Amino acid sequence: MMRSRFRGLALVVLPVALSACGPRDGDRNLDSLDNELVDAGNASRDPALTSALQDQIMVDPQLAQQANNDAVRPPAQPYSGAVPPDGVAIPPSGAVAATGASTSETLRKAPAPQGSCPQCRAARESLTLGALAAQQKDKRTSGCAGSMRYSARWAQRLPADLPLYPDARVTEAAGSEASGCALRAVSFASSASLQTVLDWYYTRVTRAGYSAEHQADGGEHVLGGTRDRDNGAFALFLTSRKDGGTDVDLVANNGN
């Protein structure tokens, strides 16, 4: 009797135990989901993903050396951000080609500076192009200074007979057309020497009918003049730079 009961109980328990050892439907579903995820992430099915994961990373050695990520102290020098050299703007055929002038052009020598230079002091005291224009002797120029607006586009609207020097690198420009004004002011740098820039502008203004007076105070030079036929006026402020080039401020009335 006891043996038959044990045998019956075994017949009931054994299927249950076997079912516990075998995979459940939920486990099968999880396995299938895992396989699907693995297959979905298989890079062999996506060429773009394969390329992104297996291609070499492009590294700039110079920038990597500047990273300085593990340094306790700041770098010994600023990260490289060098300004292009002055000669980068010169066209292949030479600076003269930019003005349309003949390569055989002979520049007129500007006269030696005469007398004191009150305009040199005005330039030193002026922090902006507008302030510099306001201190000009020409009344039309000084009267328009208050309405000047700053934008690089004014550098392209200088009088035709007072253009930018061929390799000029413009740093600031301003102008005004309010109430009949035609005022332009530009600050720029050139790789040419002060005397070369001075002679270049002296040649152009005298050929265009302007008077031209040269003044100087130490290393500061001013070339200025007027033209009777249209009441045009200009003032050119030049200072030598340590690299042999020239810093220039040009103020001109009757701009384009």
Side-chain angles (χ1 to χ4, degrees), residues 19 179 231:
S19 64
S179 302
N231 294 321

Side-chain angles (χ1 to χ4, degrees), residues 73-195:
R73 300 177 181 176
Q77 61 185 11
Y79 294 156
S80 176
V83 176
D86 291 334
V88 71
I90 299 178
S93 56
V96 179
T99 64
S102 170
T103 54
S104 61
E105 177 189 28
T106 301
L107 298 180
R108 298 178 180 177
K109 185 73 171 179
Q114 300 292 328
S116 60
C117 186
Q119 286 283 58
C120 294
R121 179 178 179 181
R124 288 194 298 268
E125 295 176 351
S126 300
L127 300 179
T128 64
L129 288 173
L132 182 61
Q135 296 198 52
Q136 297 307 299
K137 295 185 295 182
D138 179 67
K139 297 302 182 182
R140 294 179 64 237
T141 300
S142 59
C144 292
S147 59
M148 294 179 71
R149 297 294 181 267
Y150 289 79
S151 172
R153 68 186 181 91
W154 295 109
Q156 304 300 323
R157 303 181 65 183
L158 289 167
D161 43 27
L162 281 167
L164 287 171
Y165 192 78
D167 74 337
R169 294 187 296 117
V170 175
T171 56
E172 189 175 37
S176 173
E177 292 183 343
S179 302
C181 295
L183 179 60
R184 309 288 183 262
V186 183
S187 295
F188 64 88
S190 169
S191 60
S193 67
L194 187 150
Q195 188 62 52

Side-chain angles (χ1 to χ4, degrees), residues 4-101:
S4 61
R5 289 181 178 178
F6 178 77
R7 184 176 300 172
L9 180 62
L11 293 174
V12 174
V13 174
L14 183 60
V16 174
L18 292 175
S19 64
C21 295
R24 294 174 296 178
D25 292 340
D27 292 338
R28 285 195 297 271
N29 292 338
L30 289 177
D31 292 341
S32 299
L33 179 60
D34 288 342
N35 292 332
E36 291 176 3
L37 292 176
V38 171
D39 290 340
N42 191 343
S44 62
R45 296 187 180 184
D46 188 344
L49 183 59
T50 301
S51 176
L53 294 177
Q54 297 182 1
D55 283 0
Q56 294 183 353
I57 298 176
M58 298 181 65
V59 178
D60 188 329
Q62 295 183 354
L63 294 180
Q65 293 174 4
Q66 293 183 10
N68 204 35
N69 290 330
D70 300 325
V72 177
R73 300 177 181 176
Q77 61 185 11
Y79 294 156
S80 176
V83 176
D86 291 334
V88 71
I90 299 178
S93 56
V96 179
T99 64

